[in-house]
Amino acid sequence: MASQVSFDTGVAKRRTSRPERAIFRRWQRYRLNLPVRLIVPRDDSTRITEARIHDVSEGGVLLFAGIELHTSDQVAVEFTLPYSSTPVRAPGTVRHRRGYNYGVEFRCETPADQELVAKFRNLMQLAATHDSR
């Protein structure tokens, strides 16, 4: 951090100059705290673990999971509505990692995937708006 001294008013003032970091998001994020299942297919097996979604957007979710994942890992995020037996599962790809927090981008390769992701996203956004009241 660079410091400057300004003598505009005759009194020395210390100002900190730091480049402003503008964060531009493609989609609005909806904050929530919701338990989900994270399904991670591996070469010889599939691992299913509990996770927690921190926010959701049109493009994906930010979640916490106590599992070791790497960027570009293929996963699925699954949510079951209360009083429902049918889970909604959205395919995704890990795009970002910080500790055990993962940014998962929704993956829509087929029309069926698009439909599943849209349903999942709508449920998450509904939960987020309901949670913020």
Side-chain angles (χ1 to χ4, degrees), residues 27-28 30 32 53 56-61 77 79 88-90 105-108 113-128:
W27 299 288
Q28 179 180 354
Y30 298 91
L32 70 153
I53 290 182
V56 64
S57 72
E58 291 285 319
V61 294
V77 183
F79 174 72
V88 178
R89 187 180 292 184
E105 180 182 28
F106 293 133
R107 196 176 70 240
C108 301
D113 284 347
Q114 290 174 349
E115 188 176 321
L116 286 172
V117 166
K119 186 174 182 179
F120 182 86
R121 185 176 46 237
N122 290 337
L123 288 172
M124 295 299 105
Q125 289 173 354
L126 180 65

Side-chain angles (χ1 to χ4, degrees), residues 54-73:
H54 293 294
D55 68 37
V56 64
S57 72
E58 291 285 319
V61 294
L62 172 66
L63 57 82
F64 173 86
I67 185 172
E68 195 71 30
L69 297 174
H70 304 284
T71 55
S72 77
D73 280 354

Side-chain angles (χ1 to χ4, degrees), residues 1-4 14-22:
M1 234 183 324
S3 294
Q4 294 175 274
R14 186 179 178 115
R15 287 189 305 178
T16 304
S17 67
R18 101 172 52 151
E20 292 297 319
R21 235 179 71 174

